[in-house]
Amino acid sequence: GLNFIDLMVRQGNIDNPPKTPLIPGFECSGIVEALGDSVKGFEIGDRVMAFVNYNAWAEVVCTPVEFVYKIPDDMSFSEAAAFPMNFVTAYMMLFEVANLREGMSVLVHSAGGGVGQAVAQLCSTVPNVTVFGTASSFKHEAIKDSITHLFDRNADYVQEVKRISADGVDIVLDCLCGENTGKGLSLLKPLGTYILYGSSNMVTGETKSFFSFAKSWWQVEKVNPIKLYEENKVIAGFSLLNLLFKQNRGGLIKGVMDKLLNLYNSKKIKPVVDSLWALEEVKEAMQRIHDRGNIGKLILDVEKAPTPLMANDSTETSEAGEEEEDHEGDNENKESMPFIQ
C-alpha cells in the first residue's frame, strides 16, 4: 500500500528519517513463505496482510508475527494491502480517541483518499452521524454518496460548515496541518475533539523545502491550554506507526483489527482501491498521491507489468511501461480506456 507518509519519508519531512539505502512502505499483503521457530497460529501458504516497519515495497517481506493478520476468504490481495493503515487509523481516531457516538458530526479532510473513505464508511456504522468532507471538485461525483456534506478543498469550508451547523462539529480529523489547525479548532463544539494525524501541506514539491516547511509550521495555531479549558475543547494527535513500532501497542491494534475484520465480514466496510501499479511505476504512483488524484488507495503489485498511462492522466507516461509489450490489446482500445485499474 502507498500512503502519504511515504512521500514525507522520501522528502525527509519526518522525525529521524531513515538513512539510505532503504526500502519504503509500511503495509503489505501476500502468502506466508516461511515461519520463525516459535510462530504459532499461521501456516505456510496462509493469505495474510501485515504492518511492516519499512521494507514493505518488496517481493519478500519479513515482519514480527504480532503485526500479521489472516485475510478473509473473499478479500483480494489488493484490498488487503489497502486495509490495515487506512481502517485502523480511521477506527482508532473515531472510536478510541474521539469516542464517536450516535448523532455526532465529523469533519474530515481529503475525503476522497484512503483514510477519508475509511472514515466515511465507519461513520455509516453509527446511526445519524453527519460527515462533512473536503476534496478536490473532480472527486465529488465519485464520493458524494459517502459524505453528507461535501466541499471543494479550496473553498472556505469553515463558513460552509457553520452555515449548515451553526455550532460546528464534534470531531475534526486533520491530515493537512498548517492553517487548517486553527480552522479546525474554531469549528469544534464544546467537548469536541480535534485530531491531527498528518501534515500533507508540508509536502509541496519534489524535494524538501525549508521555506514551505517553515510557512506551514508558522501557520499552525498556537494552542493556549487556558483557552482549551475555557472553551471545553480537546486537541489530540494520532500516529499509527509510532503506536505500533515505537510505543509497543501491537496488542491494542490486534483488537482493533479483529473488530474491523468483523465489520468487513458483515459487509459494512470495504477498502476502496484506486489503482494498481507495477514496482517500476512507483514514481508515477507517488506523483498521483502528491497531486491528490486518487480516490481510495494506490497499490504496488509485484506481479503487474508496467503499463503506459493515458496522456491526460495526472501523471507522466511510465518510461518502463513504454518498453513493455502490449498485453492489453490494440492502441485504439487502450486510448479509450478509463484510468488503468
Side-chain angles (χ1 to χ4, degrees), residues 4 86 107-120 131-136 139-140 143 146-147 150-153 157 173-177 180 197-201 289-292 294-296:
F4 209 94
N86 290 348
L107 168 65
V108 59
H109 294 296
S110 300
V115 174
Q117 286 294 287
V119 165
V131 182
F132 298 89
T134 68
S136 301
K139 299 183 182 182
H140 286 199
I143 66 174
S146 64
I147 308 292
L150 194 53
F151 313 121
D152 184 87
R153 64 185 296 265
Y157 62 85
L173 305 179
D174 181 9
C175 60
L176 304 178
C177 199
N180 294 280
Y197 71 99
S199 51
S200 62
N201 279 343
I289 296 179
H290 179 276
D291 295 342
R292 294 172 171 84
N294 57 301
I295 298 174

mmCIF file of all heavy atoms in Angstrom, residues 4 86 107-120 131-136 139-140 143 146-147 150-153 157 173-177 180 197-201 289-292 294-296:
data_model
loop_
_atom_site.group_PDB
_atom_site.id
_atom_site.type_symbol
_atom_site.label_atom_id
_atom_site.label_comp_id
_atom_site.label_asym_id
_atom_site.label_seq_id
_atom_site.Cartn_x
_atom_site.Cartn_y
_atom_site.Cartn_z
ATOM 1 N N PHE A 4 0.409 8.646 2.174
ATOM 2 C CA PHE A 4 1.049 9.961 2.081
ATOM 3 C C PHE A 4 2.307 10.030 2.939
ATOM 4 O O PHE A 4 3.248 10.755 2.614
ATOM 5 C CB PHE A 4 0.066 11.067 2.485
ATOM 6 C CG PHE A 4 0.355 12.371 1.803
ATOM 7 C CD1 PHE A 4 -0.287 12.704 0.627
ATOM 8 C CD2 PHE A 4 1.293 13.250 2.304
ATOM 9 C CE1 PHE A 4 -0.004 13.891 -0.036
ATOM 10 C CE2 PHE A 4 1.581 14.441 1.654
ATOM 11 C CZ PHE A 4 0.924 14.775 0.486
ATOM 12 N N ASN A 86 -5.268 2.373 6.610
ATOM 13 C CA ASN A 86 -6.405 3.283 6.492
ATOM 14 C C ASN A 86 -7.478 3.012 7.530
ATOM 15 O O ASN A 86 -7.949 3.923 8.211
ATOM 16 C CB ASN A 86 -7.020 3.183 5.093
ATOM 17 C CG ASN A 86 -6.127 3.753 4.023
ATOM 18 O OD1 ASN A 86 -5.143 4.427 4.318
ATOM 19 N ND2 ASN A 86 -6.439 3.477 2.777
ATOM 20 N N LEU A 107 -15.860 16.254 10.694
ATOM 21 C CA LEU A 107 -15.256 16.902 9.522
ATOM 22 C C LEU A 107 -13.971 16.183 9.189
ATOM 23 O O LEU A 107 -13.092 16.032 10.045
ATOM 24 C CB LEU A 107 -14.955 18.379 9.807
ATOM 25 C CG LEU A 107 -14.074 19.094 8.762
ATOM 26 C CD1 LEU A 107 -14.778 19.181 7.412
ATOM 27 C CD2 LEU A 107 -13.657 20.480 9.240
ATOM 28 N N VAL A 108 -13.841 15.700 7.948
ATOM 29 C CA VAL A 108 -12.632 15.005 7.523
ATOM 30 C C VAL A 108 -12.109 15.641 6.246
ATOM 31 O O VAL A 108 -12.862 15.908 5.305
ATOM 32 C CB VAL A 108 -12.896 13.492 7.320
ATOM 33 C CG1 VAL A 108 -13.979 13.236 6.275
ATOM 34 C CG2 VAL A 108 -11.617 12.753 6.954
ATOM 35 N N HIS A 109 -10.809 15.923 6.217
ATOM 36 C CA HIS A 109 -10.168 16.454 5.012
ATOM 37 C C HIS A 109 -9.724 15.305 4.106
ATOM 38 O O HIS A 109 -9.632 14.153 4.540
ATOM 39 C CB HIS A 109 -8.963 17.322 5.388
ATOM 40 C CG HIS A 109 -9.334 18.567 6.129
ATOM 41 N ND1 HIS A 109 -10.091 19.570 5.565
ATOM 42 C CD2 HIS A 109 -9.074 18.972 7.394
ATOM 43 C CE1 HIS A 109 -10.268 20.545 6.432
ATOM 44 N NE2 HIS A 109 -9.668 20.204 7.562
ATOM 45 N N SER A 110 -9.452 15.628 2.845
ATOM 46 C CA SER A 110 -9.059 14.604 1.868
ATOM 47 C C SER A 110 -10.039 13.443 1.893
ATOM 48 O O SER A 110 -9.665 12.266 2.005
ATOM 49 C CB SER A 110 -7.634 14.110 2.144
ATOM 50 O OG SER A 110 -6.706 15.167 2.061
ATOM 51 N N ALA A 111 -11.324 13.778 1.790
ATOM 52 C CA ALA A 111 -12.390 12.784 1.937
ATOM 53 C C ALA A 111 -12.357 11.725 0.852
ATOM 54 O O ALA A 111 -12.933 10.642 1.018
ATOM 55 C CB ALA A 111 -13.755 13.476 1.943
ATOM 56 N N GLY A 112 -11.692 11.990 -0.276
ATOM 57 C CA GLY A 112 -11.612 11.000 -1.336
ATOM 58 C C GLY A 112 -10.441 10.056 -1.206
ATOM 59 O O GLY A 112 -10.345 9.077 -1.944
ATOM 60 N N GLY A 113 -9.538 10.308 -0.258
ATOM 61 C CA GLY A 113 -8.375 9.456 -0.070
ATOM 62 C C GLY A 113 -8.700 8.188 0.692
ATOM 63 O O GLY A 113 -9.847 7.943 1.083
ATOM 64 N N GLY A 114 -7.680 7.383 0.942
ATOM 65 C CA GLY A 114 -7.889 6.103 1.595
ATOM 66 C C GLY A 114 -8.445 6.234 3.006
ATOM 67 O O GLY A 114 -9.413 5.563 3.375
ATOM 68 N N VAL A 115 -7.847 7.104 3.836
ATOM 69 C CA VAL A 115 -8.341 7.293 5.195
ATOM 70 C C VAL A 115 -9.702 7.976 5.170
ATOM 71 O O VAL A 115 -10.613 7.604 5.918
ATOM 72 C CB VAL A 115 -7.343 8.105 6.040
ATOM 73 C CG1 VAL A 115 -7.938 8.433 7.413
ATOM 74 C CG2 VAL A 115 -6.037 7.337 6.214
ATOM 75 N N GLY A 116 -9.870 8.960 4.295
ATOM 76 C CA GLY A 116 -11.148 9.665 4.206
ATOM 77 C C GLY A 116 -12.300 8.735 3.888
ATOM 78 O O GLY A 116 -13.383 8.821 4.494
ATOM 79 N N GLN A 117 -12.081 7.815 2.955
ATOM 80 C CA GLN A 117 -13.133 6.869 2.617
ATOM 81 C C GLN A 117 -13.367 5.857 3.738
ATOM 82 O O GLN A 117 -14.501 5.443 3.984
ATOM 83 C CB GLN A 117 -12.773 6.136 1.322
ATOM 84 C CG GLN A 117 -12.938 6.998 0.073
ATOM 85 C CD GLN A 117 -14.396 7.358 -0.180
ATOM 86 O OE1 GLN A 117 -15.200 6.536 -0.591
ATOM 87 N NE2 GLN A 117 -14.753 8.614 0.100
ATOM 88 N N ALA A 118 -12.308 5.482 4.452
ATOM 89 C CA ALA A 118 -12.480 4.596 5.609
ATOM 90 C C ALA A 118 -13.274 5.292 6.711
ATOM 91 O O ALA A 118 -14.145 4.686 7.341
ATOM 92 C CB ALA A 118 -11.111 4.153 6.134
ATOM 93 N N VAL A 119 -12.984 6.572 6.950
ATOM 94 C CA VAL A 119 -13.726 7.354 7.942
ATOM 95 C C VAL A 119 -15.208 7.390 7.575
ATOM 96 O O VAL A 119 -16.087 7.162 8.423
ATOM 97 C CB VAL A 119 -13.159 8.783 8.051
ATOM 98 C CG1 VAL A 119 -14.124 9.709 8.801
ATOM 99 C CG2 VAL A 119 -11.807 8.766 8.739
ATOM 100 N N ALA A 120 -15.505 7.679 6.316
ATOM 101 C CA ALA A 120 -16.902 7.770 5.882
ATOM 102 C C ALA A 120 -17.630 6.444 6.088
ATOM 103 O O ALA A 120 -18.774 6.414 6.566
ATOM 104 C CB ALA A 120 -16.961 8.188 4.414
ATOM 105 N N VAL A 131 -21.377 13.611 8.243
ATOM 106 C CA VAL A 131 -19.981 13.701 7.806
ATOM 107 C C VAL A 131 -19.824 14.894 6.858
ATOM 108 O O VAL A 131 -20.453 14.940 5.802
ATOM 109 C CB VAL A 131 -19.524 12.413 7.108
ATOM 110 C CG1 VAL A 131 -18.051 12.533 6.701
ATOM 111 C CG2 VAL A 131 -19.726 11.207 8.011
ATOM 112 N N PHE A 132 -18.982 15.840 7.259
ATOM 113 C CA PHE A 132 -18.566 16.937 6.397
ATOM 114 C C PHE A 132 -17.211 16.559 5.815
ATOM 115 O O PHE A 132 -16.331 16.080 6.548
ATOM 116 C CB PHE A 132 -18.433 18.236 7.186
ATOM 117 C CG PHE A 132 -19.710 18.729 7.815
ATOM 118 C CD1 PHE A 132 -20.088 18.321 9.078
ATOM 119 C CD2 PHE A 132 -20.534 19.622 7.134
ATOM 120 C CE1 PHE A 132 -21.255 18.769 9.666
ATOM 121 C CE2 PHE A 132 -21.707 20.084 7.704
ATOM 122 C CZ PHE A 132 -22.070 19.654 8.974
ATOM 123 N N GLY A 133 -17.026 16.770 4.521
ATOM 124 C CA GLY A 133 -15.760 16.401 3.906
ATOM 125 C C GLY A 133 -15.269 17.435 2.922
ATOM 126 O O GLY A 133 -16.070 18.117 2.270
ATOM 127 N N THR A 134 -13.947 17.577 2.808
ATOM 128 C CA THR A 134 -13.357 18.415 1.772
ATOM 129 C C THR A 134 -12.588 17.519 0.807
ATOM 130 O O THR A 134 -11.945 16.548 1.223
ATOM 131 C CB THR A 134 -12.398 19.470 2.354
ATOM 132 O OG1 THR A 134 -11.231 18.824 2.898
ATOM 133 C CG2 THR A 134 -13.080 20.277 3.453
ATOM 134 N N ALA A 135 -12.686 17.841 -0.476
ATOM 135 C CA ALA A 135 -11.990 17.062 -1.505
ATOM 136 C C ALA A 135 -11.924 17.891 -2.777
ATOM 137 O O ALA A 135 -12.701 18.839 -2.958
ATOM 138 C CB ALA A 135 -12.717 15.743 -1.774
ATOM 139 N N SER A 136 -11.018 17.544 -3.659
ATOM 140 C CA SER A 136 -10.946 18.205 -4.961
ATOM 141 C C SER A 136 -12.260 18.029 -5.697
ATOM 142 O O SER A 136 -12.881 16.960 -5.623
ATOM 143 C CB SER A 136 -9.798 17.623 -5.789
ATOM 144 O OG SER A 136 -8.564 17.788 -5.118
ATOM 145 N N LYS A 139 -13.470 14.935 -7.687
ATOM 146 C CA LYS A 139 -13.779 13.689 -6.976
ATOM 147 C C LYS A 139 -15.213 13.659 -6.452
ATOM 148 O O LYS A 139 -15.684 12.604 -6.020
ATOM 149 C CB LYS A 139 -12.825 13.513 -5.795
ATOM 150 C CG LYS A 139 -11.356 13.417 -6.153
ATOM 151 C CD LYS A 139 -10.516 13.168 -4.911
ATOM 152 C CE LYS A 139 -9.035 13.117 -5.234
ATOM 153 N NZ LYS A 139 -8.214 12.838 -4.035
ATOM 154 N N HIS A 140 -15.901 14.787 -6.470
ATOM 155 C CA HIS A 140 -17.177 14.876 -5.772
ATOM 156 C C HIS A 140 -18.210 13.878 -6.286
ATOM 157 O O HIS A 140 -18.929 13.262 -5.494
ATOM 158 C CB HIS A 140 -17.725 16.307 -5.869
ATOM 159 C CG HIS A 140 -16.988 17.271 -4.986
ATOM 160 N ND1 HIS A 140 -17.504 18.491 -4.605
ATOM 161 C CD2 HIS A 140 -15.764 17.202 -4.395
ATOM 162 C CE1 HIS A 140 -16.636 19.116 -3.830
ATOM 163 N NE2 HIS A 140 -15.569 18.362 -3.702
ATOM 164 N N ILE A 143 -17.603 10.338 -4.842
ATOM 165 C CA ILE A 143 -17.670 10.083 -3.396
ATOM 166 C C ILE A 143 -18.878 10.736 -2.735
ATOM 167 O O ILE A 143 -19.037 10.636 -1.511
ATOM 168 C CB ILE A 143 -16.380 10.561 -2.690
ATOM 169 C CG1 ILE A 143 -16.244 12.091 -2.755
ATOM 170 C CG2 ILE A 143 -15.169 9.884 -3.278
ATOM 171 C CD1 ILE A 143 -15.076 12.629 -1.954
ATOM 172 N N SER A 146 -20.996 8.926 -0.062
ATOM 173 C CA SER A 146 -20.408 8.519 1.222
ATOM 174 C C SER A 146 -20.251 9.687 2.189
ATOM 175 O O SER A 146 -19.970 9.471 3.371
ATOM 176 C CB SER A 146 -19.047 7.855 0.988
ATOM 177 O OG SER A 146 -18.123 8.779 0.436
ATOM 178 N N ILE A 147 -20.427 10.915 1.710
ATOM 179 C CA ILE A 147 -20.230 12.105 2.534
ATOM 180 C C ILE A 147 -21.538 12.891 2.588
ATOM 181 O O ILE A 147 -22.151 13.148 1.551
ATOM 182 C CB ILE A 147 -19.111 13.011 1.965
ATOM 183 C CG1 ILE A 147 -17.834 12.202 1.713
ATOM 184 C CG2 ILE A 147 -18.845 14.193 2.884
ATOM 185 C CD1 ILE A 147 -17.139 11.698 2.959
ATOM 186 N N LEU A 150 -20.335 17.797 1.184
ATOM 187 C CA LEU A 150 -19.035 17.760 0.528
ATOM 188 C C LEU A 150 -18.672 19.143 0.009
ATOM 189 O O LEU A 150 -19.476 19.805 -0.646
ATOM 190 C CB LEU A 150 -19.093 16.753 -0.627
ATOM 191 C CG LEU A 150 -17.803 16.281 -1.275
ATOM 192 C CD1 LEU A 150 -16.818 15.741 -0.247
ATOM 193 C CD2 LEU A 150 -18.120 15.207 -2.316
ATOM 194 N N PHE A 151 -17.443 19.598 0.306
ATOM 195 C CA PHE A 151 -16.986 20.925 -0.101
ATOM 196 C C PHE A 151 -15.700 20.810 -0.913
ATOM 197 O O PHE A 151 -14.905 19.889 -0.713
ATOM 198 C CB PHE A 151 -16.707 21.818 1.124
ATOM 199 C CG PHE A 151 -17.790 21.789 2.156
ATOM 200 C CD1 PHE A 151 -17.521 21.384 3.452
ATOM 201 C CD2 PHE A 151 -19.092 22.156 1.828
ATOM 202 C CE1 PHE A 151 -18.512 21.343 4.406
ATOM 203 C CE2 PHE A 151 -20.093 22.127 2.776
ATOM 204 C CZ PHE A 151 -19.811 21.717 4.070
ATOM 205 N N ASP A 152 -15.493 21.760 -1.813
ATOM 206 C CA ASP A 152 -14.243 21.825 -2.566
ATOM 207 C C ASP A 152 -13.098 22.141 -1.609
ATOM 208 O O ASP A 152 -13.242 22.956 -0.699
ATOM 209 C CB ASP A 152 -14.321 22.890 -3.653
ATOM 210 C CG ASP A 152 -13.073 22.893 -4.510
ATOM 211 O OD1 ASP A 152 -13.013 22.142 -5.493
ATOM 212 O OD2 ASP A 152 -12.129 23.657 -4.184
ATOM 213 N N ARG A 153 -11.960 21.486 -1.807
ATOM 214 C CA ARG A 153 -10.833 21.646 -0.881
ATOM 215 C C ARG A 153 -10.290 23.066 -0.855
ATOM 216 O O ARG A 153 -9.618 23.465 0.111
ATOM 217 C CB ARG A 153 -9.707 20.674 -1.233
ATOM 218 C CG ARG A 153 -9.061 20.887 -2.589
ATOM 219 C CD ARG A 153 -8.038 19.798 -2.873
ATOM 220 N NE ARG A 153 -6.939 19.840 -1.930
ATOM 221 C CZ ARG A 153 -5.786 20.470 -2.166
ATOM 222 N NH1 ARG A 153 -5.584 21.086 -3.314
ATOM 223 N NH2 ARG A 153 -4.819 20.446 -1.265
ATOM 224 N N TYR A 157 -14.360 26.307 3.738
ATOM 225 C CA TYR A 157 -15.198 25.273 4.337
ATOM 226 C C TYR A 157 -15.679 25.655 5.740
ATOM 227 O O TYR A 157 -16.692 25.148 6.208
ATOM 228 C CB TYR A 157 -14.468 23.927 4.366
ATOM 229 C CG TYR A 157 -13.201 23.903 5.202
ATOM 230 C CD1 TYR A 157 -13.255 23.665 6.570
ATOM 231 C CD2 TYR A 157 -11.954 24.098 4.619
ATOM 232 C CE1 TYR A 157 -12.106 23.630 7.335
ATOM 233 C CE2 TYR A 157 -10.810 24.071 5.378
ATOM 234 C CZ TYR A 157 -10.873 23.836 6.732
ATOM 235 O OH TYR A 157 -9.730 23.803 7.485
ATOM 236 N N LEU A 173 -10.943 15.730 11.895
ATOM 237 C CA LEU A 173 -9.813 14.868 11.564
ATOM 238 C C LEU A 173 -8.968 15.584 10.521
ATOM 239 O O LEU A 173 -9.390 15.769 9.383
ATOM 240 C CB LEU A 173 -10.314 13.516 11.031
ATOM 241 C CG LEU A 173 -11.292 12.766 11.945
ATOM 242 C CD1 LEU A 173 -11.742 11.459 11.291
ATOM 243 C CD2 LEU A 173 -10.673 12.497 13.303
ATOM 244 N N ASP A 174 -7.770 16.005 10.914
ATOM 245 C CA ASP A 174 -6.951 16.885 10.082
ATOM 246 C C ASP A 174 -5.670 16.178 9.656
ATOM 247 O O ASP A 174 -4.829 15.840 10.487
ATOM 248 C CB ASP A 174 -6.622 18.157 10.871
ATOM 249 C CG ASP A 174 -5.791 19.150 10.064
ATOM 250 O OD1 ASP A 174 -5.616 18.938 8.839
ATOM 251 O OD2 ASP A 174 -5.324 20.135 10.652
ATOM 252 N N CYS A 175 -5.529 15.960 8.347
ATOM 253 C CA CYS A 175 -4.296 15.396 7.804
ATOM 254 C C CYS A 175 -3.486 16.449 7.051
ATOM 255 O O CYS A 175 -2.484 16.127 6.417
ATOM 256 C CB CYS A 175 -4.614 14.228 6.870
ATOM 257 S SG CYS A 175 -5.649 14.701 5.459
ATOM 258 N N LEU A 176 -3.936 17.714 7.114
ATOM 259 C CA LEU A 176 -3.318 18.782 6.334
ATOM 260 C C LEU A 176 -2.337 19.617 7.154
ATOM 261 O O LEU A 176 -1.255 19.939 6.706
ATOM 262 C CB LEU A 176 -4.394 19.705 5.755
ATOM 263 C CG LEU A 176 -5.470 19.030 4.893
ATOM 264 C CD1 LEU A 176 -6.492 20.059 4.435
ATOM 265 C CD2 LEU A 176 -4.854 18.323 3.702
ATOM 266 N N CYS A 177 -2.744 20.008 8.372
ATOM 267 C CA CYS A 177 -1.960 20.851 9.267
ATOM 268 C C CYS A 177 -1.899 22.281 8.710
ATOM 269 O O CYS A 177 -2.768 22.708 7.964
ATOM 270 C CB CYS A 177 -0.574 20.260 9.508
ATOM 271 S SG CYS A 177 0.245 20.907 10.991
ATOM 272 N N ASN A 180 -4.998 24.970 8.593
ATOM 273 C CA ASN A 180 -6.206 24.197 8.888
ATOM 274 C C ASN A 180 -6.336 23.839 10.363
ATOM 275 O O ASN A 180 -7.426 23.512 10.828
ATOM 276 C CB ASN A 180 -6.233 22.925 8.037
ATOM 277 C CG ASN A 180 -6.380 23.238 6.567
ATOM 278 O OD1 ASN A 180 -7.471 23.512 6.091
ATOM 279 N ND2 ASN A 180 -5.269 23.241 5.851
ATOM 280 N N TYR A 197 -3.512 13.987 12.349
ATOM 281 C CA TYR A 197 -2.904 12.683 12.049
ATOM 282 C C TYR A 197 -2.006 12.731 10.822
ATOM 283 O O TYR A 197 -1.578 11.699 10.309
ATOM 284 C CB TYR A 197 -3.980 11.612 11.893
ATOM 285 C CG TYR A 197 -4.848 11.703 10.654
ATOM 286 C CD1 TYR A 197 -4.584 10.911 9.545
ATOM 287 C CD2 TYR A 197 -5.933 12.565 10.593
ATOM 288 C CE1 TYR A 197 -5.371 10.969 8.410
ATOM 289 C CE2 TYR A 197 -6.736 12.626 9.474
ATOM 290 C CZ TYR A 197 -6.456 11.835 8.388
ATOM 291 O OH TYR A 197 -7.246 11.910 7.260
ATOM 292 N N GLY A 198 -1.694 13.927 10.344
ATOM 293 C CA GLY A 198 -0.802 14.076 9.195
ATOM 294 C C GLY A 198 -0.520 15.539 8.953
ATOM 295 O O GLY A 198 -1.109 16.419 9.586
ATOM 296 N N SER A 199 0.399 15.798 8.026
ATOM 297 C CA SER A 199 0.742 17.186 7.713
ATOM 298 C C SER A 199 1.113 17.288 6.241
ATOM 299 O O SER A 199 2.215 17.675 5.879
ATOM 300 C CB SER A 199 1.895 17.680 8.597
ATOM 301 O OG SER A 199 2.981 16.774 8.565
ATOM 302 N N SER A 200 0.146 16.920 5.382
ATOM 303 C CA SER A 200 0.435 16.849 3.951
ATOM 304 C C SER A 200 0.734 18.214 3.349
ATOM 305 O O SER A 200 1.359 18.299 2.289
ATOM 306 C CB SER A 200 -0.728 16.199 3.203
ATOM 307 O OG SER A 200 -1.913 16.958 3.330
ATOM 308 N N ASN A 201 0.319 19.303 4.001
ATOM 309 C CA ASN A 201 0.636 20.635 3.481
ATOM 310 C C ASN A 201 2.132 20.919 3.490
ATOM 311 O O ASN A 201 2.593 21.853 2.842
ATOM 312 C CB ASN A 201 -0.089 21.708 4.292
ATOM 313 C CG ASN A 201 -1.535 21.872 3.864
ATOM 314 O OD1 ASN A 201 -1.924 21.436 2.781
ATOM 315 N ND2 ASN A 201 -2.347 22.480 4.712
ATOM 316 N N ILE A 289 -0.454 10.457 -5.849
ATOM 317 C CA ILE A 289 -0.821 10.816 -4.478
ATOM 318 C C ILE A 289 -0.485 12.270 -4.207
ATOM 319 O O ILE A 289 -1.277 13.023 -3.618
ATOM 320 C CB ILE A 289 -0.103 9.910 -3.464
ATOM 321 C CG1 ILE A 289 -0.551 8.457 -3.624
ATOM 322 C CG2 ILE A 289 -0.371 10.388 -2.038
ATOM 323 C CD1 ILE A 289 0.136 7.509 -2.664
ATOM 324 N N HIS A 290 0.705 12.689 -4.634
ATOM 325 C CA HIS A 290 1.136 14.082 -4.424
ATOM 326 C C HIS A 290 0.148 15.061 -5.046
ATOM 327 O O HIS A 290 -0.183 16.102 -4.456
ATOM 328 C CB HIS A 290 2.534 14.282 -5.018
ATOM 329 C CG HIS A 290 3.060 15.670 -4.884
ATOM 330 N ND1 HIS A 290 2.746 16.671 -5.781
ATOM 331 C CD2 HIS A 290 3.877 16.236 -3.956
ATOM 332 C CE1 HIS A 290 3.347 17.789 -5.413
ATOM 333 N NE2 HIS A 290 4.041 17.549 -4.311
ATOM 334 N N ASP A 291 -0.353 14.722 -6.241
ATOM 335 C CA ASP A 291 -1.296 15.593 -6.943
ATOM 336 C C ASP A 291 -2.726 15.418 -6.438
ATOM 337 O O ASP A 291 -3.638 16.054 -6.956
ATOM 338 C CB ASP A 291 -1.265 15.293 -8.451
ATOM 339 C CG ASP A 291 0.077 15.644 -9.073
ATOM 340 O OD1 ASP A 291 0.839 16.417 -8.455
ATOM 341 O OD2 ASP A 291 0.372 15.126 -10.164
ATOM 342 N N ARG A 292 -2.899 14.543 -5.452
ATOM 343 C CA ARG A 292 -4.228 14.252 -4.880
ATOM 344 C C ARG A 292 -5.209 13.805 -5.970
ATOM 345 O O ARG A 292 -6.376 14.197 -5.983
ATOM 346 C CB ARG A 292 -4.757 15.459 -4.110
ATOM 347 C CG ARG A 292 -3.930 15.782 -2.865
ATOM 348 C CD ARG A 292 -4.342 17.094 -2.221
ATOM 349 N NE ARG A 292 -3.689 17.276 -0.929
ATOM 350 C CZ ARG A 292 -2.465 17.770 -0.766
ATOM 351 N NH1 ARG A 292 -1.748 18.104 -1.820
ATOM 352 N NH2 ARG A 292 -1.956 17.919 0.437
ATOM 353 N N ASN A 294 -5.975 10.584 -6.516
ATOM 354 C CA ASN A 294 -6.538 9.268 -6.225
ATOM 355 C C ASN A 294 -7.863 9.348 -5.480
ATOM 356 O O ASN A 294 -8.115 10.267 -4.704
ATOM 357 C CB ASN A 294 -5.552 8.447 -5.397
ATOM 358 C CG ASN A 294 -5.154 9.128 -4.092
ATOM 359 O OD1 ASN A 294 -4.622 10.233 -4.092
ATOM 360 N ND2 ASN A 294 -5.424 8.462 -2.979
ATOM 361 N N ILE A 295 -8.716 8.357 -5.748
ATOM 362 C CA ILE A 295 -9.923 8.125 -4.950
ATOM 363 C C ILE A 295 -9.745 6.759 -4.309
ATOM 364 O O ILE A 295 -9.866 5.726 -4.961
ATOM 365 C CB ILE A 295 -11.194 8.178 -5.812
ATOM 366 C CG1 ILE A 295 -11.356 9.567 -6.435
ATOM 367 C CG2 ILE A 295 -12.417 7.807 -4.980
ATOM 368 C CD1 ILE A 295 -12.511 9.669 -7.413
ATOM 369 N N GLY A 296 -9.419 6.726 -3.037
ATOM 370 C CA GLY A 296 -9.072 5.484 -2.376
ATOM 371 C C GLY A 296 -7.575 5.234 -2.427
ATOM 372 O O GLY A 296 -6.776 6.164 -2.561
#
